[in-house]
Amino acid sequence: MPTTKALLFGQRRDRAVGLVIGFAGAVTLALVVAFAAESAGAATATALTDRLLPVLVFYAPGPLAAAGAYARCGGPACLAVGVVPALVLGGFVLLGTLVGVPGVNGGNPAIGDVTVSFAAIGMTSAFVGYCAGVTAVLAADLLGIGGSDGADGDGE
């Protein structure tokens, strides 16, 4: 039962917070670099961010959620990874609109649709990744590899 509780609710809050905050920082940094490179017209930086940003936004939540489940960060943290790109994008657009950054248009009605789409894609990816991580943990426990989940410290 400690494994199930650890998988569902998490037992390593520092890792869970680090997972979500670290991913949010990576997405924010990539988005700011992409915007700055696009504004400056730097072709090399734009080419790099054109490849890096989609990987972070669309493909990274699944593997990160799987790793979080395997590390027993809990379902809420693993699923939160899925909405990070949407929240960062929405926050970036909102802040850019409030501050008046040229090129950031929060008045566009499609930005809400894009944000919701990012959230749906990220949550789906994170859910599938979380399920894969839970399956990996349960398979490792069944095969007797991996050791204790660390819930009670006695190595059960």
Side-chain angles (χ1 to χ4, degrees), residues 57-103:
V57 169
F58 297 117
Y59 303 118
L64 284 175
Y70 195 79
R72 292 169 178 82
C73 292
C78 293
L79 295 177
V81 167
V83 295
V84 162
L87 293 176
V88 169
L89 175 69
F92 184 76
V93 170
L94 181 66
L95 183 66
T97 302
L98 291 176
V99 173
V101 175

Side-chain angles (χ1 to χ4, degrees), residues 19 23 54-70 78-83 85 121-134:
L19 177 74
F23 184 54
V55 168
L56 283 174
V57 169
F58 297 117
Y59 303 118
L64 284 175
Y70 195 79
C78 293
L79 295 177
V81 167
V83 295
I121 291 168
M123 282 297 292
T124 302
S125 178
F127 180 73
V128 171
Y130 175 70
C131 290
V134 167

Side-chain angles (χ1 to χ4, degrees), residues 9-19 72-73 77:
F9 304 113
Q11 68 184 28
R12 298 183 173 135
R13 292 185 195 269
D14 55 339
R15 285 188 187 173
V17 170
L19 177 74
R72 292 169 178 82
C73 292

